[in-house]
Amino acid sequence: MGGTVITCTFQTLLDSGCLSRHVFLFDQEAYHDSTGILGHSHHDGSDDGKNNSPLQIQNAVKLSLALARTFVQCLNGTKNNYALTSLRLDDFVVKMRGKDGYTEEEGDEHLLSISSVDQFNAISSNSCIQWIIMDVKCCCAQTSSVNMNTATLMQHLGKLIYAIFSQNDASASETHFSNGDGARASKICAAAHKARRRMSKSLFEHLIESGKPISVCRFLNDLTGKGKTSHPIISFDDVIRDLEQMNSQPHIFLFNPEDTFYTLNLNFGQGYYGRSKELAKLLEITTVPNEINVGLEIIFISGIAGSGKSHLISAVGRFISNLGYMVLTAKFERGMEYNSREIVSALFDRMVTSLVEMKESDNKSDIDYSRRVTQAISNALDAYSLSSLADFVPSIQRLIPPKVARDSLSCSSWQLVFSLSKLLFSVLSQERKIFIALDDLQWADPTMLGLMSEVLTTICQHPEERRRLVFVGMYRDDEVTSDLLQFTTRFENQEGNISANVTNTKLSTFSQDDVVEMAMSEFRLPRRLVSELAGVVHKKAHGHPLFVVQLLNSLVLDSTIAYTPSVYRYDWDQDKICILQTPDSVASLIVSNLASLPAESLQYLRIISCFGIQVQFSLLELLNDFRQAPRGGFESYQCGLVDQGIIENVGPLVAFAHDLIQEQVYEGIPVKERRQLHLDIGIYLGSKTSLDTSSQNKPIDAAIEQLYLSDVSDTEDTESSLVSIATSQINNAGPECFTDRRSPRFARWNLRAGKDAAELSSFRTALHYYKNGIAFLGEALWLDATYDLCLKLHDNAAFSSSSLGEINQVSMYANAIIANVTSFQDSLVAQRLLIGSLSASGQYQEAVARGLAALRQLKFDIPATPSAMAVIQSMKQTEIEASEYKFSKMADYQRVDSKTKNIMKLVEAISSSCYHIASPFLPLIACESVRFSLRNGFCDESATAVVVFAYFQLFLKQSFDQAHHWGSIAKSMLERASTDGLVVKARMKLFSFVWFWHIPWQESINHLQDTYDLSLKVGETECAYMTMCVKLKFSFFRGEQLSSLSRSFDKYLQEMARFSIGSAIFSALDKEMVDELVGDKSSNPYSVFKGEVCDKESILADAESKAHFQMVEAVHLQNFFVLFWKGDYVEAERASAIAMSFPSSKMPKGQLVFHTFYRGIIAFNLYRDGRGEKWLNDGKEMLVQMEIWAINSKPIVENKLILMEAEHYASMCNVVAAKESYKLAIKVARDYGFIHEQGLACECFGQYLSSIVEVGEAERYFMDAYTCYIQWGAVAKANTLREDHGLDLSTGGIGFVQANMSGTSDPPGVNAKGTAFCRACNCTQ
């Protein structure tokens, strides 16, 4: 049966009754059972004996469409002429095939021509068969062309289509086919009399009574012209278009709507129109398979206010949520930039809440997924990170119960980046996709834009996880800030392993066709009936999408457009609408519409507009007793306003349907009345909190119990939220509303709200409150009555500004404190923050000068001139005082007051500035600080001073014992300290400059990695990347495989360039050195600076211009190392001499060991090359220094010392001792795992053996050196060695090539008699 292709007339199909049993389809059309939809229709669609079953109606539409298309083809044909008004259904032949049966390639041999109903029924015995309509042809005899008007042709086509819908309805058939002949005419004559009696009714009314869908009745009435109609169909295009709409969207344009369509007002704006291309593009992006997509999808959607950005994303979100996406959305608000952190917090909190709900659900798949994600999060974030993250994502405690108390923890901005990135990565790692949409980015605080940017950048670096994230940002294109522009362009020029696919979509105004589409779908009418109305609306609204929606809604609201029962549709007076005076903007229209609302409804909107675009419904319930609340409470008016499309329910929130509506409601309140409303709301809500402890109103606990503002059932958190809301209302009223007597009250409210925000690390919000608190004090600033309050507000404002990196703000608040405090102690926090701001802006000299002045006021004995004698005396005095204390007493913390802690924090800030400029005051500050702690007690903040003091024991005295002693004290203190910014900075200093002298390289590297991780956790990104810079340098010195090390540089350089430019430059120099050894000519480590730093020459020029001597030293030292490994000892020594001209070269850092080591080798080699006794003496100096270091730093110095001794023996012509020492140096280097230094020892030994003409042995050691260098990854170095010494690798042996020796010339190191001699002194050996 499936392969059967048949042809039969339309009349045969109708007579067979197959339209009620079979499914008819066009090619490329899928069958969808629509009876589920029809079950909700006004007419239930059952077969009522009048040929009205849903299936039958849909089939009738398809056949009518096929017939109409064929009819128009006959009309437009240039070769065939037909008497169109005489055509009958028997003249149209349809070609059909059973679904999946016939293909064009099979030909027509299977074709069956059906001429009777019995034949058709015999063929189609399967009542469930589906038929594909392949072709329809007109098969009547051709006649000469006859001119007929369109109306006549239209009426005849209407008769034919009417017959299809009527089928066996005799009355209908008689009406349109009474001029037929033969048996068919006789069958219908019996019903003619009955039909005539009904002709007094209009055709439309008759069709309605027959039970046909209203759209079919209207179509046939307008097409045939037999009934009264004000909208006759006048073109065949309209005929086909009407039928195509019924066929493609039967639930809208064919079947009757639900009863609510007739009884409720229309609400435009709920459907989705006019953005089909944009919607298709976004759905294409979000549904691309993971194996095809390779990057994070980032979509930016821009447009004017009301262009439909949010609506577009809502449509996408609804669709993809059914595909398994976790959809997360958030919206920023105008004038509430300070609240951006809470908005982003709520977004991530919803993500975790979804996981909690899955975990508690009955769905096994969701439960398993939630458990896997929970485990992944636990693996990625330790207990400390989870607990500190709980302030930002409270529901994380419901997913993973806390193991560390929260009250002592805080989460800095970069710690938050670290933790959120880990959190999002963990969720994405478990296969399901996430869709994040942030709306109104133009109102987001720059800090939160930066946060999201860093989180997205981190996710971009993970190839699998980034494929499962789609991020969408929406913004108004006429309000773009520089911060937003930077955010939207961040990912367009990607480098390295960052991969993101960026799509920019700009939404324009609606076209007239878009408005037509909206009107058709909402009114459920064909295009021909709404096109004029749509044209007028489009013109009046200028195509502005929200204006179009508001205008149509206003026309419905005032009954200009109204449902007319007599014609079963919405109707309107087109002329009246054309001349209707409408506002010239969407804002004016919204105001006009609001003016018609009842007073209580308008009061409802005014109150909620005071809270922004949305408000918790539970908060409105709390306000029901508020004296200005609408009568009967808020809930009484909510449904009506929702039905009118003004507000909408979004879970526990009540939100305005669009922020433009909220703006117009809010701005429509007179300014004085608006301020009073804010004031009254704020005082009422404040009375439900502990803000005013003297309040006698409703008990606080009862109010909090009534209020539910957080996903975490924490009374303290809810109290904090209500405090914030009440204070914000007071701030919106403004200080000018209050008398001097009331102003301090509300300044205290702001102090409380600011502290609550700061405890959650929401420093932008905190700063907002502190600023308002200061503003409330006005002229009462720094008076006796307000002194303490003023000091606290300024202190906290300075601290919050510092946390946000706003240097100018820090200086402003700190200077205000310093200028107004009554005691110096009150300014300690401000002094520290001011010094930190100066340092952050590069004003190190000014920072040190101010710091020294502050310390002297605190009675720190720091001389005006930092002479060497003063430093030595200060260190000695410190050691004497310290000798009276036991190690355990110094390492164990004592109770210290806040003043002591603040002083030590001040010392840390000054020390950092001193370090940047290598200030000679640094050791004096360290000594005084240690003595201060000895007298007043040690605390976490003392660790930096102890580390610096230990450092100068090495630097100035080379006292390794004392350095180890003080380093141990610092290490013990740091192990007991709670992890924060000061602690990780002290750890970095300890392991980078002090502790590495006493432990193997690998232990130092491990300590530095731990410090890097801790620094990221607490948000100290600059410290983290400074630590990583040192770690990579140590890894190079340790002899890590260079290809692996190169990948590490590539991994971290991108991040260093963003967060710690100085560290990035140091590491770029090191990476260039690695590239030289590897021979990678394509690598450019300076590309991460995007043109700001081009090469080391530009680094040198910039550093010299800024007197940044450590950077100048680093450039020359890198030249030295590169030249050393190339074997160019003369040029290497010149670079070394320049580097050593700077005092910082003597500082005991890791590279000092290698600088000294390589200089010693160079000095002994230059001496043996006959360059003079100076080099022997220089070599001996280096040897003595290595001997001193070896006593205390054996793991990192032993093999180097032995190799230098070998070089010394070689220079002194002690062949036996030299050989033994070279061999021992090779063995010790191998035992320590220093493959690079094993290779160096082999190379040095080979050179020495060559000099004494032991060529065979020399070749063997050169080959060993080559092997070591290859294992190290120094391919370029190995190849240079091979070329210089003619190593023959192809034969597996080593050939000593003497290609450059002529005739009887002797090789170097051999005299004419063949006796070996020493090139340094020409003595025979």
Side-chain angles (χ1 to χ4, degrees):
M1 179 60 208
T4 302
V5 177
I6 67 171
T7 62
C8 64
T9 68
F10 269 53
Q11 193 64 59
T12 301
L13 285 181
L14 298 181
D15 292 343
S16 70
C18 67
L19 267 64
S20 63
R21 304 191 307 273
H22 298 179
V23 176
F24 287 81
L25 302 169
F26 292 109
D27 271 335
Q28 310 302 323
E29 188 176 39
Y31 170 58
H32 300 285
D33 183 4
S34 62
T35 56
I37 298 174
L38 301 177
H40 299 286
S41 301
H42 181 59
H43 297 288
D44 61 14
S46 61
D47 190 350
D48 53 11
K50 297 183 180 181
N51 311 315
N52 296 326
S53 72
L55 179 61
Q56 192 163 344
I57 292 295
Q58 286 185 281
N59 286 335
V61 169
K62 293 181 186 295
L63 291 179
S64 298
L65 178 57
L67 182 142
R69 287 170 174 168
T70 304
F71 189 92
V72 173
Q73 288 173 3
C74 293
L75 176 64
N76 296 332
T78 56
K79 295 182 179 181
N80 300 324
N81 297 309
Y82 300 93
L84 295 177
T85 55
S86 64
L87 292 175
R88 302 175 304 167
L89 293 181
D90 274 331
D91 295 325
F92 291 89
V93 177
V94 60
K95 182 179 180 181
M96 306 181 299
R97 65 175 169 85
K99 190 176 180 183
D100 302 328
Y102 173 81
T103 60
E104 293 293 336
E105 290 76 15
E106 294 180 18
D108 290 339
E109 60 270 26
H110 300 288
L111 190 63
L112 299 178
S113 179
I114 306 301
S115 58
S116 70
V117 172
D118 292 338
Q119 282 182 291
F120 182 84
N121 287 335
I123 293 295
S124 59
S125 57
N126 184 352
S127 63
C128 295
I129 192 169
Q130 298 179 27
W131 292 100
I132 304 297
I133 301 173
M134 301 170 63
D135 189 26
V136 176
K137 292 181 178 179
C138 181
C139 298
C140 72
Q142 300 177 25
T143 65
S144 59
S145 178
V146 179
N147 291 325
M148 291 170 283
N149 62 53
T150 300
T152 302
L153 293 171
M154 200 78 69
Q155 287 179 1
H156 187 68
L157 176 58
K159 294 176 183 179
L160 296 175
I161 294 176
Y162 191 21
I164 293 175
F165 278 100
S166 301
Q167 296 183 53
N168 295 327
D169 188 336
S171 63
S173 299
E174 186 276 334
T175 302
H176 298 286
F177 291 94
S178 57
N179 60 344
D181 56 3
R184 177 149 188 82
S186 64
K187 289 181 180 179
I188 63 175
C189 286
H193 180 68
K194 182 178 179 181
R196 290 190 190 98
R197 283 185 304 173
R198 294 206 300 263
M199 288 301 291
S200 60
K201 294 183 178 180
S202 70
L203 179 61
F204 182 75
E205 292 172 327
H206 162 64
L207 291 169
I208 290 291
E209 287 182 355
S210 72
K212 300 282 190 299
I214 295 170
S215 59
V216 172
C217 300
R218 181 183 300 114
F219 170 74
L220 292 174
N221 185 70
D222 294 349
L223 177 60
T224 62
K226 292 294 184 180
K228 295 179 181 180
T229 177
S230 58
H231 299 87
I233 298 177
I234 59 175
S235 78
F236 290 104
D237 287 342
D238 282 344
V239 174
I240 293 175
R241 189 180 291 116
D242 277 20
L243 289 168
E244 285 177 339
Q245 286 180 336
M246 294 182 198
N247 179 55
S248 62
Q249 295 178 280
H251 59 293
I252 296 177
F253 296 109
L254 177 56
F255 297 111
N256 293 344
E258 299 176 347
D259 289 335
T260 54
F261 181 76
Y262 311 100
T263 58
L264 298 176
N265 282 336
L266 283 180
N267 186 2
F268 287 87
Q270 302 303 305
Y272 188 77
Y273 309 103
R275 304 297 184 201
S276 56
K277 291 182 180 179
E278 292 87 347
L279 180 61
K281 177 63 177 176
L282 296 185
L283 291 178
E284 178 187 350
I285 291 172
T286 53
T287 56
V288 65
N290 280 345
E291 58 270 17
I292 297 176
N293 179 28
V294 296
L296 165 63
E297 294 291 350
I298 297 178
I299 304 167
F300 291 112
I301 301 174
S302 61
I304 59 174
S307 57
K309 303 179 291 293
S310 305
H311 207 44
L312 172 62
I313 292 306
S314 295
V316 174
R318 285 193 299 270
F319 180 83
I320 64 176
S321 63
N322 295 322
L323 303 180
Y325 268 91
M326 183 186 296
V327 177
L328 305 169
T329 61
K331 184 180 180 70
F332 297 102
E333 297 185 42
R334 180 191 294 276
M336 299 184 69
E337 289 82 355
Y338 65 89
N339 204 41
S340 297
R341 189 179 190 276
E342 282 63 40
I343 291 170
V344 177
S345 169
L347 180 135
F348 282 97
D349 199 56
R350 283 195 294 274
M351 178 180 75
V352 177
T353 299
S354 297
L355 296 171
V356 174
E357 291 170 350
M358 291 180 192
K359 192 174 183 179
E360 297 171 352
S361 71
D362 296 328
N363 186 302
K364 292 183 178 180
S365 175
D366 284 349
I367 293 172
D368 178 65
Y369 170 72
S370 179
R371 286 175 177 171
R372 286 187 284 112
V373 171
T374 302
Q375 186 60 51
I377 295 173
S378 298
N379 293 339
L381 294 167
D382 60 19
Y384 174 88
S385 298
L386 285 170
S387 295
S388 59
L389 182 61
D391 286 333
F392 192 80
V393 187
S395 57
I396 196 74
Q397 296 181 108
R398 295 172 58 196
L399 189 69
I400 305 173
K403 298 180 180 179
V404 178
R406 284 175 54 191
D407 52 0
S408 63
L409 301 174
S410 61
C411 190
S412 70
S413 58
W414 289 115
Q415 181 185 3
L416 190 57
V417 169
F418 172 83
S419 299
L420 281 183
S421 300
K422 292 282 189 181
L423 175 65
L424 185 56
F425 167 82
S426 301
V427 180
L428 291 169
S429 69
Q430 300 304 312
E431 300 177 2
R432 292 193 186 182
K433 295 185 176 182
I434 296 178
F435 180 87
I436 294 177
L438 291 179
D439 199 358
D440 284 327
L441 290 174
Q442 74 277 357
W443 296 329
D445 173 64
T447 304
M448 285 300 102
L449 289 178
L451 171 70
M452 291 305 303
S453 179
E454 299 308 331
V455 171
L456 293 175
T457 299
T458 302
I459 297 300
C460 275
Q461 298 172 22
H462 299 281
E464 291 302 319
E465 287 71 20
R466 69 190 180 204
R467 301 181 183 188
R468 304 188 188 111
L469 178 62
V470 177
F471 173 82
V472 179
M474 294 161 278
Y475 60 92
R476 296 184 183 181
D477 57 9
D478 56 350
E479 298 185 36
V480 178
T481 63
S482 58
D483 293 306
L484 176 56
L485 182 63
Q486 182 179 358
F487 178 71
T488 57
T489 57
R490 168 76 178 272
F491 299 92
E492 292 182 355
N493 300 316
Q494 307 150 28
E495 295 182 5
N497 60 345
I498 297 177
S499 178
N501 306 316
V502 181
T503 302
N504 287 291
T505 298
K506 181 173 182 177
L507 301 186
S508 58
T509 56
F510 272 176
S511 67
Q512 184 169 328
D513 282 342
D514 295 332
V515 183
V516 169
E517 179 190 358
M518 177 187 293
M520 286 192 302
S521 297
E522 294 297 337
F523 291 132
R524 295 176 178 258
L525 294 175
R527 174 183 288 269
R528 58 190 172 83
L529 296 183
V530 302
S531 57
E532 289 186 17
L533 171 67
V536 172
V537 171
H538 179 266
K539 182 177 181 181
K540 288 180 177 291
H542 313 294
H544 188 292
L546 184 60
F547 199 169
V548 168
V549 168
Q550 291 293 318
L551 181 55
L552 285 169
N553 279 333
S554 69
L555 294 174
V556 172
L557 189 64
D558 64 12
S559 298
T560 302
I561 297 175
Y563 187 79
T564 305
S566 62
V567 293
Y568 292 88
R569 75 176 182 87
Y570 280 87
D571 203 1
W572 53 87
D573 185 330
Q574 184 70 31
D575 294 335
K576 182 179 178 181
I577 292 176
C578 286
I579 63 174
L580 189 67
Q581 294 296 315
T582 57
D584 58 359
S585 70
V586 64
S588 301
L589 180 59
I590 291 171
V591 171
S592 175
N593 291 342
L594 291 172
S596 64
L597 290 174
E600 295 299 320
S601 294
L602 186 57
Q603 182 66 4
Y604 176 110
L605 296 176
R606 286 181 166 186
I607 290 175
I608 68 171
S609 74
C610 290
F611 295 96
I613 189 69
Q614 61 190 24
V615 61
Q616 292 269 358
F617 186 72
S618 59
L619 186 62
L620 295 183
E621 291 178 330
L622 188 63
L623 285 167
N624 276 331
D625 294 332
F626 175 50
R627 64 183 179 85
Q628 295 191 48
R631 286 194 305 271
F634 289 88
E635 191 171 5
S636 304
Y637 304 90
Q638 187 162 331
C639 291
L641 292 169
V642 169
D643 292 341
Q644 293 178 60
I646 299 174
I647 62 174
E648 56 190 11
N649 296 321
V650 185
L653 302 173
V654 177
F656 282 93
H658 197 279
D659 47 29
L660 283 177
I661 300 176
Q662 185 270 340
E663 289 174 20
Q664 296 309 311
V665 171
Y666 185 73
E667 293 173 4
I669 310 173
V671 174
K672 187 175 181 180
E673 184 181 338
R674 185 196 310 161
R675 288 178 173 172
Q676 188 62 47
L677 183 57
H678 278 302
L679 174 60
D680 292 343
I681 293 173
I683 291 175
Y684 178 82
L685 293 176
S687 70
K688 309 297 181 182
T689 71
S690 58
L691 281 168
D692 291 325
T693 55
S694 61
S695 173
Q696 299 299 317
N697 291 297
K698 186 176 179 180
I700 294 171
D701 291 344
I704 297 302
E705 185 177 342
Q706 179 181 342
L707 188 64
Y708 186 78
L709 295 175
S710 173
D711 289 333
V712 181
S713 56
D714 189 323
T715 300
E716 184 178 340
D717 288 345
T718 308
E719 155 88 356
S720 176
S721 297
L722 195 53
V723 165
S724 173
I725 295 168
T727 306
S728 293
Q729 291 297 311
I730 297 297
N731 292 338
N732 288 333
E736 55 271 22
C737 292
F738 311 108
T739 63
D740 291 341
R741 181 178 59 82
R742 298 176 70 187
S743 292
R745 172 192 182 191
F746 297 122
R748 282 190 292 272
W749 282 29
N750 275 285
L751 178 62
R752 163 69 189 279
K755 286 183 175 181
D756 287 348
E759 286 178 2
L760 299 176
S761 300
S762 185
F763 295 111
R764 177 68 61 190
T765 304
L767 181 59
H768 168 79
Y769 288 121
Y770 297 140
K771 284 181 176 179
N772 278 281
I774 293 170
F776 269 104
L777 290 177
E779 295 181 359
L781 284 172
W782 304 109
L783 299 179
D784 290 343
T786 63
Y787 179 84
D788 289 340
L789 175 60
C790 194
L791 178 60
K792 291 176 182 177
L793 285 167
H794 280 80
D795 258 345
N796 285 290
F799 179 80
S800 295
S801 299
S802 176
S803 299
L804 294 168
E806 297 183 355
I807 298 171
N808 292 333
Q809 293 280 316
V810 175
S811 298
M812 180 181 72
Y813 292 117
N815 282 320
I817 295 170
I818 294 168
N820 290 283
V821 291
T822 56
S823 70
F824 184 76
Q825 181 178 334
D826 288 346
S827 71
L828 286 176
V829 173
Q831 295 282 358
R832 172 174 63 86
L833 294 173
L834 183 57
I835 290 169
S837 69
L838 290 170
S839 180
S841 61
Q843 301 177 69
Y844 301 118
Q845 295 285 1
E846 293 86 344
V848 172
R850 179 173 283 277
L852 290 172
L855 291 177
R856 288 174 182 135
Q857 280 194 265
L858 292 168
K859 309 303 181 184
F860 275 50
D861 185 14
I862 300 176
T865 303
S867 65
M869 181 63 68
V871 171
I872 296 300
Q873 287 179 348
S874 184
M875 293 185 70
K876 184 176 181 180
Q877 180 63 32
T878 304
E879 291 168 5
I880 292 172
E881 290 191 29
S883 65
E884 300 176 7
Y885 296 84
K886 294 182 178 180
F887 175 93
S888 58
K889 186 173 181 180
M890 287 187 286
D892 288 343
Y893 291 165
Q894 306 165 28
R895 286 185 175 273
V896 296
D897 56 22
S898 59
K899 175 185 175 181
T900 299
K901 290 187 175 183
N902 285 331
I903 290 174
M904 296 315 298
K905 288 179 180 179
L906 177 63
V907 167
E908 196 282 331
I910 301 169
S911 298
S912 295
S913 297
C914 288
Y915 174 78
H916 279 94
I917 58 174
S919 171
F921 283 104
L922 185 55
L924 293 169
I925 293 171
C927 292
E928 280 296 306
S929 301
V930 170
R931 292 204 293 273
F932 179 84
S933 292
L934 288 169
R935 298 163 189 162
N936 297 278
F938 285 88
C939 54
D940 289 354
E941 292 77 6
S942 305
T944 295
V946 176
V947 171
V948 174
F949 186 69
Y951 175 77
F952 281 104
Q953 292 289 340
L954 287 170
F955 184 19
L956 299 178
K957 299 176 63 177
Q958 291 205 37
S959 175
F960 282 84
D961 289 341
Q962 282 294 310
H964 185 271
H965 170 73
W966 288 100
S968 297
I969 294 173
K971 187 170 180 289
S972 178
M973 294 171 64
L974 292 172
E975 287 171 351
R976 299 186 183 198
S978 58
T979 304
D980 61 15
L982 291 177
V983 168
V984 294
K985 289 177 183 177
R987 282 180 59 96
M988 187 274 292
K989 293 180 177 72
L990 176 66
F991 296 122
S992 298
F993 302 108
V994 177
W995 207 244
F996 79 88
W997 291 96
H998 307 285
I999 57 177
W1001 279 118
Q1002 192 57 53
E1003 284 189 36
S1004 294
I1005 291 169
N1006 294 342
H1007 282 306
L1008 289 168
Q1009 181 64 52
D1010 291 342
T1011 303
Y1012 167 80
D1013 293 337
L1014 284 173
S1015 299
L1016 285 182
K1017 285 180 182 179
V1018 299
E1020 288 290 344
T1021 51
E1022 183 173 11
C1023 177
Y1025 289 109
M1026 288 176 65
T1027 305
M1028 181 52 64
C1029 173
V1030 177
K1031 184 218 166 185
L1032 293 173
K1033 189 183 295 290
F1034 281 15
S1035 297
F1036 174 78
F1037 292 145
R1038 165 71 177 78
E1040 182 175 329
Q1041 217 280 333
L1042 292 181
S1043 60
S1044 173
L1045 186 59
S1046 181
R1047 288 192 295 271
S1048 295
F1049 274 112
D1050 290 338
K1051 176 182 177 181
Y1052 292 108
L1053 266 174
Q1054 289 276 355
E1055 302 301 307
M1056 286 183 186
R1058 288 163 52 206
F1059 301 122
S1060 180
I1061 188 70
S1063 301
I1065 292 174
F1066 283 121
S1067 287
L1069 290 169
D1070 291 341
K1071 175 62 164 59
E1072 186 178 47
M1073 179 168 58
V1074 171
D1075 292 338
E1076 289 279 359
L1077 288 165
V1078 173
D1080 187 352
K1081 303 296 184 182
S1082 63
S1083 174
N1084 178 16
Y1086 304 106
S1087 64
V1088 299
F1089 302 108
K1090 302 185 185 303
E1092 294 181 10
V1093 177
C1094 302
D1095 49 35
K1096 62 184 174 186
E1097 284 72 23
S1098 64
I1099 295 173
L1100 184 61
D1102 181 68
E1104 288 175 340
S1105 68
K1106 296 178 179 178
H1108 192 339
F1109 299 127
Q1110 289 201 50
M1111 186 66 73
V1112 176
E1113 180 210 347
V1115 173
H1116 291 296
L1117 204 54
Q1118 188 249 37
N1119 285 333
F1120 166 75
F1121 287 139
V1122 169
L1123 291 167
F1124 172 82
W1125 284 106
K1126 285 184 175 181
D1128 191 346
Y1129 289 168
V1130 175
E1131 289 301 317
E1133 180 55 35
R1134 289 175 182 167
S1136 173
I1138 298 173
M1140 290 180 63
S1141 66
F1142 300 98
S1144 59
S1145 65
K1146 305 295 192 302
M1147 296 174 70
K1149 44 189 179 287
Q1151 53 266 47
L1152 178 63
V1153 175
F1154 293 87
H1155 188 192
T1156 305
F1157 174 40
Y1158 297 160
R1159 283 181 60 219
I1161 292 176
I1162 289 172
F1164 287 128
N1165 271 269
L1166 292 179
Y1167 169 70
R1168 295 203 301 273
D1169 278 345
R1171 294 180 180 265
E1173 291 290 327
K1174 170 189 178 302
W1175 296 108
L1176 179 61
N1177 293 331
D1178 285 353
K1180 288 179 179 179
E1181 284 184 20
M1182 301 303 108
L1183 182 59
V1184 170
Q1185 183 62 71
M1186 295 298 286
E1187 288 171 343
I1188 295 173
W1189 288 340
I1191 297 171
N1192 297 280
S1193 306
K1194 183 177 179 181
I1196 63 175
V1197 174
E1198 183 181 11
N1199 69 297
K1200 301 171 184 62
L1201 172 62
I1202 296 171
L1203 181 55
M1204 287 184 68
E1205 288 174 340
E1207 291 289 310
H1208 178 242
Y1209 289 137
S1211 299
M1212 301 307 295
C1213 304
N1214 190 337
V1215 177
V1216 175
K1219 286 183 177 182
E1220 291 300 319
S1221 294
Y1222 279 124
K1223 291 176 182 179
L1224 182 58
I1226 294 169
K1227 178 182 181 301
V1228 174
R1230 183 186 65 232
D1231 292 344
Y1232 279 121
F1234 301 158
I1235 188 68
H1236 59 317
E1237 291 176 357
Q1238 181 184 345
L1240 178 61
C1242 288
E1243 182 182 3
C1244 289
F1245 194 17
Q1247 290 171 342
Y1248 174 65
L1249 292 171
S1250 296
S1251 71
I1252 60 175
V1253 204
E1254 294 186 16
V1255 177
E1257 279 294 289
E1259 289 174 343
R1260 184 170 72 82
Y1261 281 102
F1262 282 137
M1263 190 60 190
D1264 286 348
Y1266 175 87
T1267 302
C1268 289
Y1269 291 147
I1270 289 294
Q1271 290 178 5
W1272 183 31
V1275 177
K1277 169 64 180 174
N1279 287 337
T1280 300
L1281 183 72
R1282 176 177 57 81
E1283 293 168 1
D1284 289 347
H1285 299 287
L1287 305 182
D1288 186 1
L1289 305 179
S1290 60
T1291 61
I1294 306 172
F1296 188 83
V1297 180
Q1298 299 179 359
N1300 294 325
M1301 301 179 189
S1302 59
T1304 59
S1305 298
D1306 294 324
V1310 181
N1311 61 18
K1313 297 180 180 180
T1315 305
F1317 67 94
C1318 172
R1319 290 176 294 172
C1321 59
N1322 287 333
C1323 65
T1324 59
Q1325 300 177 25

